[in-house]
Amino acid sequence: MVTFVISLVALVLGYLLYGRFVERVFGPDDRPTPAVAMADGVDYVVMPGWKIFMIQFLNIAGTGPIFGAIMGAKFGPSAYLWIVFGCIFAGATHDYLSGMLSIRNKGAGLPELVGQYLGVGTKRLMLVFAVLLLIMVGTVFVYSPAEILHHIGGSSMMWIIIIFAYYVIATMLPIDKIIGKVYPLFAFALLFMALSLMVYLLIHWPSLPELWDGLSNRGAQTDSSFTDEIFPCLFITIACGAISGFHATQSPLMARCLKSERMGRPVFYGAMITEGVVALIWATVSSYFFYGDPTPAYQTVAGAAATGFHTSAPAVVNLVCNDWLGLFGGILALLGVVAAPITSGDTAFRSARLIVAEAIHFEQHSIRRRLTICIPLFCVSIAMLVWQMENPDGFNVIWQYFGWANQTLSVFTLWTLTVYLVRAHKPYLITLIPALLMTTVCSTFLLVSRQAFGLSLPVGYSLGALCFLIALVWFLVWLRKERAAETREA
């Protein structure tokens, strides 16, 4: 528990100190924002700062900082290090700068920003990559809540149809009609649940593995079948609580709603730090659930012993919330496990609509034009959903590819931000270091993952290190050419 408290303080200090430093690097000013200069009553709508923060938090969070932290806790105390350092120096920096860069470019989506700084070819690749990722997000966030609601009543197909109908409505309507009114309530429920669990932890102060006990104190000691390596698996498993490329597709939604650039740090950097706090709480709850001394909670919480260390993330949420928080906690758990992914799913489809519309220069003022783009997106999602339902392991396959694709998207975003900072003559190391790290993580995971090449660890690590060197040399060569071109122009 001491590690948890130290980590919590570190996140708060990260927002107050490093967050302010990153803000000064970017330099927000008083120029008119897209929400003011391009107001259209549909996607460009000025909203209060507190409401934008709550929507941004729910958009980027969903169940990511819950499920990812629960699965990441199986790696032991190292999860705390990744959440804290990843969130402060990578994730929150990534979210803030991508959101602010979108504001400076008329609310542009991620592919447009990538194209502007990394070239047209990369833009085309990112356009396809981002849209497919967003469709995958929407698809997995239809199936998982439908399966949970099915156990309460009705068939899975009935709930799938209901959720899809909601997606169509929420994706089509102006952002302030449903999202602006309902999302802050769901975000409050998610925060209240997390804070309630934190209070419970602080009161009971369970004995948990600490950082100084050693990073090797992890799941392998609890169950010999848990063989995932801390590097790179931890960095893929815990994404939304540390850094997530998906966030860069969501930030432009709120970039189109900010009245002032100076609201950017609390909205973008602050929402990510808040998500890190939620992930930290759930990592600690899960540490108690899997490792609690003298008896892990999965042996004492009713119904949990049946699956023990392999209890699924949604089951951990329901078991812990019902046992610790009672009936009210069970309701909050339902909101967290059902409402949160649904809200992330519909904003994923909304982002996909806007990205496609921006790419083909197709204005979105009329419902007919919005439908023209939405129908193909939903058709692809339905096809993916049907395959997922017919394949017994379909959900896991899509989720694994989503996890890798999510972090790979952050790689493109971080390199885009690095190029921007270089050309603006700003301290580019704040994004270069995370860019090199995530490039190495994603390439190594692709090499050693059983779902991809499945190479041995020594070979995978060696090739991952080679990818790091190639990326670094490539950047240094580009930087030299960039500076030489600037000198000639001067």
Side-chain angles (χ1 to χ4, degrees):
M1 280 295 293
V2 177
T3 301
F4 167 72
V5 174
I6 294 174
S7 301
L8 190 64
V9 172
L11 283 177
V12 175
L13 291 176
Y15 173 77
L16 295 174
L17 301 177
Y18 195 73
R20 188 170 296 279
F21 167 73
V22 173
E23 181 183 45
R24 288 177 179 173
V25 168
F26 182 83
D29 55 35
D30 296 320
R31 73 185 68 189
T33 63
V36 176
M38 303 171 62
D40 62 1
V42 179
D43 298 306
Y44 292 82
V45 180
V46 172
M47 289 194 290
W50 70 269
K51 184 175 288 189
I52 297 175
F53 167 83
M54 297 294 270
I55 296 172
Q56 172 73 3
F57 167 68
L58 194 64
N59 281 356
I60 66 173
T63 54
I66 301 175
F67 290 176
I70 291 173
M71 293 183 287
K74 296 180 181 181
F75 291 91
S78 57
Y80 290 110
L81 292 177
W82 175 229
I83 290 172
V84 172
F85 290 108
C87 189
I88 294 172
F89 298 106
T93 302
H94 165 283
D95 288 11
Y96 174 77
L97 291 176
S98 62
M100 297 304 292
L101 198 57
S102 176
I103 291 178
R104 287 282 173 90
N105 288 271
K106 301 180 180 180
L110 181 59
E112 290 295 320
L113 297 176
V114 170
Q116 182 175 341
Y117 293 98
L118 298 185
V120 177
T122 311
K123 172 187 173 181
R124 291 169 181 164
L125 174 64
M126 181 52 50
L127 178 63
V128 176
F129 195 85
V131 171
L132 284 177
L133 174 68
L134 291 167
I135 292 175
M136 278 196 291
V137 171
T139 303
V140 297
F141 285 163
V142 168
Y143 185 75
S144 54
E147 282 297 293
I148 294 171
L149 291 169
H150 162 60
H151 294 291
I152 299 174
S155 65
S156 296
M157 184 56 66
M158 180 193 78
W159 286 112
I160 286 173
I161 293 172
I162 291 173
I163 294 171
F164 246 112
Y166 165 75
Y167 279 2
V168 173
I169 295 171
T171 303
M172 299 288 294
L173 287 179
I175 196 167
D176 60 335
K177 298 305 180 186
I178 292 182
I179 294 175
K181 289 182 171 59
V182 178
Y183 278 33
L185 297 176
F186 289 149
F188 173 79
L190 194 62
L191 286 171
F192 186 83
M193 176 175 63
L195 292 175
S196 299
L197 293 173
M198 184 177 71
V199 170
Y200 184 97
L201 286 169
L202 293 174
I203 291 175
H204 290 79
W205 201 264
S207 179
L208 304 175
E210 306 283 3
L211 277 173
W212 39 90
D213 294 330
L215 298 183
S216 60
N217 189 0
R218 53 189 288 255
Q221 298 180 353
T222 304
D223 192 302
S224 58
S225 65
F226 185 76
T227 58
D228 291 346
E229 296 296 327
I230 290 178
F231 186 89
C233 297
L234 172 63
F235 299 83
I236 298 292
T237 302
I238 300 181
C240 291
I243 180 172
S244 168
F246 171 67
H247 296 182
T249 68
Q250 300 302 292
S251 292
L253 295 179
M254 295 300 98
R256 298 178 173 107
C257 299
L258 284 172
K259 186 178 181 179
S260 168
E261 284 190 354
R262 301 184 191 280
M263 299 164 65
R265 184 165 71 101
V267 168
F268 298 124
Y269 200 99
M272 184 60 209
I273 291 293
T274 305
E275 186 179 26
V277 171
V278 172
L280 200 65
I281 292 170
W282 275 104
T284 307
V285 169
S286 304
S287 182
Y288 167 70
F289 189 87
F290 295 124
Y291 305 111
D293 186 28
T295 304
Y298 69 74
Q299 295 182 10
T300 59
V301 175
T307 52
F309 184 74
H310 291 285
T311 306
S312 67
V316 172
V317 173
N318 282 307
L319 288 167
V320 169
C321 287
N322 281 296
D323 188 68
W324 291 8
L325 305 179
L327 177 62
F328 188 60
I331 296 173
L332 289 175
L334 184 64
L335 285 174
V337 179
V338 174
I342 291 176
T343 53
S344 290
D346 72 53
T347 52
F349 280 119
R350 189 182 193 91
S351 296
R353 170 176 68 81
L354 291 169
I355 286 173
V356 173
E358 191 173 45
I360 63 177
H361 306 289
F362 198 68
E363 63 88 7
Q364 295 287 280
H365 294 166
S366 68
I367 292 180
R368 179 180 62 82
R369 283 176 166 261
R370 285 174 240 160
L371 273 173
T372 302
I373 294 178
C374 283
I375 290 176
L377 295 176
F378 284 121
C379 287
V380 174
S381 179
I382 290 171
M384 195 179 293
L385 184 64
V386 170
W387 174 84
Q388 180 181 236
M389 294 173 66
E390 293 180 350
N391 186 337
D393 201 38
F395 177 81
N396 290 332
V397 171
I398 291 180
W399 186 264
Q400 288 162 359
Y401 280 109
F402 161 70
W404 174 81
N406 184 26
Q407 297 301 62
T408 301
L409 196 63
S410 74
V411 172
F412 283 98
T413 306
L414 287 167
W415 283 115
T416 299
L417 296 173
T418 302
V419 172
Y420 158 74
L421 291 174
V422 167
R423 290 178 176 170
H425 296 277
K426 297 176 183 291
Y428 56 81
L429 286 178
I430 63 173
T431 54
L432 174 61
I433 294 174
L436 290 169
L437 170 65
M438 296 312 298
T439 298
T440 309
V441 166
C442 292
S443 58
T444 305
F445 183 81
L446 189 65
L447 292 165
V448 303
S449 172
R450 291 185 295 273
Q451 284 73 41
F453 294 102
L455 301 178
S456 66
L457 287 178
V459 174
Y461 284 168
S462 299
L463 293 177
L466 180 62
C467 291
F468 168 84
L469 290 175
I470 291 172
L472 178 58
V473 171
W474 197 339
F475 170 77
L476 292 175
V477 170
W478 171 84
L479 179 63
R480 183 177 179 180
K481 291 180 179 178
E482 186 76 11
R483 294 299 188 229
E486 290 176 357
T487 303
R488 287 194 300 269
E489 291 176 0

